[in-house]
Amino acid sequence: PEYVNRLHAMVKRNLSIPFRFVCFTDNSDGIVREVENFPIPPLELNLSGPERGWNKLVTFASELYNLKGQALFLDLDLLVVSPIDELFSLPGSVIIIRDWLKKDGTGNSSVYRFDIGGHPEVLADFQSNFAAIKRRYRNEQEYLSAVLLQRNALSYWPDAWCRSFKRHCMHYLPKSLWSAPSIPKQEKIIVFH
């Protein structure tokens, strides 16, 4: 719960527009009352063990509890370090972080924005073809990026908005031995992927 509460506090400090903060969880004990808690949406597949990361695709269900409109998905292991209002005004159907290493259009799904119910075909295809998808794609963000790129429905945050802690804040050896990490100036979110 401390990670949820910290993330809520960071968003509250850095978002000036009205918002609902929702947590999908199997245990809401200790989460502040300003956070709305819903059970983790079910999948029609058994994803035990290392396959759990694919669960993130449930956000693309045609209906997601009583939630409507635009949503910003945030992983728990990140920092919001400056105002994020612009993440809601940037045009695009689904907006994701451009992966820092891959050049094939793969996104990093630590931070993505989408319209709830806007792309139910993503989850439907995944649930119908999981075995083939798992053979072709390493993880949910590779699959999500590929299927949305095929539909011309994926775009990316400006590179400076979402940065990797290990790639953009840390110094290389040997400087990292005596210099503390630093936050890039235009950064909105730092991701610990």
Side-chain angles (χ1 to χ4, degrees), residues 35-52:
V35 174
E36 297 178 54
N37 296 290
F38 293 96
I40 298 169
L43 272 174
E44 295 175 11
L45 302 164
N46 180 9
L47 295 180
S48 60
E51 305 300 336
R52 289 186 321 259

Side-chain angles (χ1 to χ4, degrees), residues 20 51 94 131 151 181:
R20 292 171 67 182
E51 305 300 336
V94 179
R151 291 170 169 77

